[in-house]
Amino acid sequence: MDSLINKKRPPLFCPGCSHEKAVNALDKAFYNIKLSGDNIVMVSDIGCSGLFDTFFNTHAFHGLHGRALTYAAGIKMANPKLNVIVTMGDGGLGIGGAHLLEACRRNLDITLLILNNFNFGMTGGQFSSTTPADAIVSSGFLNNLEKPFDVCQTAIAAGASFTTRCSAYISDLHKKIEAAIKHKGFSIVDIWGVCPGRYTKKNILTPKIIEEKLKKLPAVEGTVSENIRKEYTAHYKEITSALKPFNMVKEIKPEFKAPEAGKHSVMILGSAGQRIITAGEILCYAGLKAGLFTTFKSDYNITVLRGHSVSEAVLSDKKIIYTGSGAPSVILALNKEGITRKKAAFKTLNKDTLIITGKDTEIPATDAKIFRVDFKKLKIKSNERALASLVVMTKHNKIISYDMLTSALKEIFNQKIFNASLELTEKIQNSDIL
Amino acid sequence: MALSLLDGNETVALGAAAAGCKFFAGYPITPATSIFNAMLNLLPQKGGVCMQGEDEIASIGYCLGASMAGVKAMTATSGPGISLYSENISFAIGSEIPIVIVDVQRLGPSTGSATRGADGDIQFLRWGSSSGLPIIVLAPVDAADCYILTKQAFNLAEQFRCPVFIASNKEIALTKESIDLNLLEKPEIIERKLFSGKPDEEFMPFAVKKSADVPEFLPIGFKGRLARQTSSTHGAKGYITIDASEIEKNQNRLQHKIEACVDAFTYFEEVNTDAADTLIICYGITARAVKAAVNILKKDNISASALILKTLWPAPEKLIKQKTEKFNKIVVIEMNKGQYVKEIERILCDKKIKFFGQMNGVLIEPEQISEVIKNG
Ligand code: SF4
């Protein structure tokens, strides 16, 4: 197998740019592992490191600044067999910081080569997230105020399973890259180099100085034993292959006849924990059991365990065009929080609306018909009031029948919950509250 | 008859799965999150992939990578996420990456109200990318449309290799309704056109055959031939170009490939076509209030027709001109402060257009619309 260097498009970096060393080392690594070009995708970032994909006869993906790791993740998930190599500068590292952390945490089998030259080469030598505070860059004094970050230490803290940092000038750079590619999981090679086009115009940095600086840092030598774990695509497959198919669509065949014709809306007003949303759904399923068309909306507090909870259902024997509910036929007023939320609605009601509420519940002044239930005497708990009120509705022959209701319960609940709910509905059904 | 109780987000997910979507990535955001939840139940069980991105930029980035690797991909968000998608949307436009993007619109600006509806992103979806080159936007009216149009969206994305948006709305997305899935129109599935060259022919990722406007595709990772993708201004081979005439030709093609074909995907619905006086133009959830308003007006012996647009971008000019021809009065109703009406005014520059809009998180009521019509 030959070199994968694209002879038609030779590297066009500034003379002396360390990137060229990385290009050649990468090619040597491909050669040694015996990878063919169609087994590799080069995903390149923006900046001078963003030119890498054009120098190789491999698949290539050159995207947006800082986002190379995101495309790489999508490609790898879609085609886990591909060798995915990402090249990114210290610029991409900074702007794509969240993606770096996520890549470390996720452990997809991707190799990231960081062409770290301590500044933004292409845009004119501004400071990056790895620029030393005492460097002279074209961002004025601003880099003096910030601490550069250690990519490898950060990556290890985030869960990277392979990290190594080295100078672009070492003779065995290709071996470091090779080891990274061979690693099953996310691997990083932080390659320190010189950017003569910008950085060393005002700063002194030589291969020797780089070597000295690297020596002062804590050693990182490839595999990070504490982060070794399953590779993401393999793990994903392992978990998902055990999943059972999920049926999202419950088809209901009508079995009953609804007690009333026309379009009716029901408001269920309560608070978090009162099973208000479930009651709304039960009502809709009861409607479906009689072939009624239905729409259902709910409204609850963003902190879900506190505050109001409101369900609004429309049941109709004709297709429902407009989904706003209009004047409700029935209101189940179960708790102050929900009632307060819909306070304004009470004013305009007339006797065509039936309000079912507790003996102990305060409701705003209204002309609607009110039916009070002594839930306490019936030993109905707060979180049972919604379902109990649906039974009261059926006792009034309002919109749904008792059979529609219980067959809806059977549809929604598992046997255990169904049995418990049936106990409750029968208690109301057999009571003499009317 | 067999009715199911499903909301618009669930039917978007079902439509996507039926269209052959194999990859979904999203970042949780109300009111779009339940699309992610549904995809998580639909895709991985069948060998597909569903991922939660570390942010919106990553989510669409995963999708673009997956799409270029040859799988059908979708993401879903709301207005705040569309803002973050913007740069990648431009990328997908310029580099011809098929993707379906669902925007479950919520009340803005900014964080706005997570659980209140609006149609405030209609111009944003069209123009919220650099270059201004066209994209496709479809607007569902109900849960059934969410299913059908999402399926169509995949077909269009594959055919035209561009981003296709579903402009949903919290009020459609999170309202459960009875729906008979068996009765829905089921559009045929259209796949991306693969490279058809001879074995010795070079594959050029952005070359178009004579009389074609869309390049043939090979996935990244294809065995035996290399594929390239780039966000830079490129020539047919997928390398940077500075050749102005080549650039010009490509930009024209990106515009033409979508705009010239809009008649083939102009989806719409008409209500009460006999009326000769007023035509109400609308789209999305508001169309349902308009339909109800037409019925109210009928009772008062006022006849009004409605044109419900389900393809918003590119604007179906031919349809709009043709359907408005015989009407003296045109009224546009929108759940915003006046966005698509600008497009209608542009197309019907010789007609007087009346507008009514509301953007307070509450549905426009049929009675508000009938009042607008009554007051001429
Ligand atoms: S600007 Fe710096 S990084 Fe870019 S090619 Fe020149 S030397 Fe290399």
Side-chain angles (χ1 to χ4, degrees), chain A residues 163-164 188 192-193 241 262 267 310 333 366 370:
Chain A
T163 64
T164 183
I188 296 178
W192 289 28
S241 58
M267 249 186 219
V310 171
T366 173
I370 300 170

Side-chain angles (χ1 to χ4, degrees), chain A residues 38-39 53 59-60 62-64 70-71 99 102 106 236 250-252 293-297 321 341, chain B residues 3-4 50 54 57 62 88 116 171 176-178 182 221-225 227-229 231 239 288:
Chain A
D38 59 1
N39 270 317
D53 63 280
H59 293 286
H62 173 63
L64 306 182
T70 70
Y71 310 121
H99 311 312
E102 184 57 38
R106 185 173 283 141
Y236 196 95
K250 215 192 276 279
E251 292 193 321
I252 308 293
F293 296 97
T294 166
T295 67
F296 172 61
K297 295 187 207 192
I321 299 173
R341 187 84 179 172
Chain B
L3 291 173
S4 302
C50 180
E54 57 273 27
I57 299 174
Y62 300 163
N88 269 315
R116 299 271 167 258
E171 292 285 350
K176 285 194 187 286
E177 54 184 323
S178 47
N182 307 305
F222 188 79
K223 288 264 162 259
R225 283 184 189 277
R228 280 189 57 75
Q229 179 52 283
S231 57
Y239 289 101
R288 300 176 74 152

Side-chain angles (χ1 to χ4, degrees), chain A residues 12-20 47-49 51 115 117 119-125 194-200:
Chain A
L12 33 73
F13 301 115
C14 302
C17 175
S18 58
H19 287 3
E20 200 151 335
C48 300
S49 67
L51 300 167
L115 288 310
N117 58 18
N119 78 145
F120 287 72
M122 201 174 260
T123 52
V194 174
C195 164
R198 302 288 187 189
Y199 191 74
T200 48

Side-chain angles (χ1 to χ4, degrees), chain A residues 79-149:
Chain A
N79 186 349
K81 287 199 191 110
L82 260 183
N83 289 279
V84 183
I85 314 292
V86 179
T87 59
M88 191 189 275
D90 36 311
L93 196 66
I95 189 175
H99 311 312
L100 174 79
L101 299 183
E102 184 57 38
C104 295
R105 298 199 319 113
R106 185 173 283 141
N107 202 36
L108 265 168
D109 186 14
I110 290 171
T111 299
L112 169 64
L113 307 183
I114 300 167
L115 288 310
N116 190 351
N117 58 18
F118 317 102
N119 78 145
F120 287 72
M122 201 174 260
T123 52
Q126 294 80 7
F127 80 107
S128 74
S129 54
T130 63
T131 307
D134 58 2
I136 300 162
V137 290
S138 65
S139 311
F141 61 89
L142 293 171
N143 65 301
N144 305 149
L145 304 167
E146 296 189 17
K147 189 174 156 57
F149 87 112

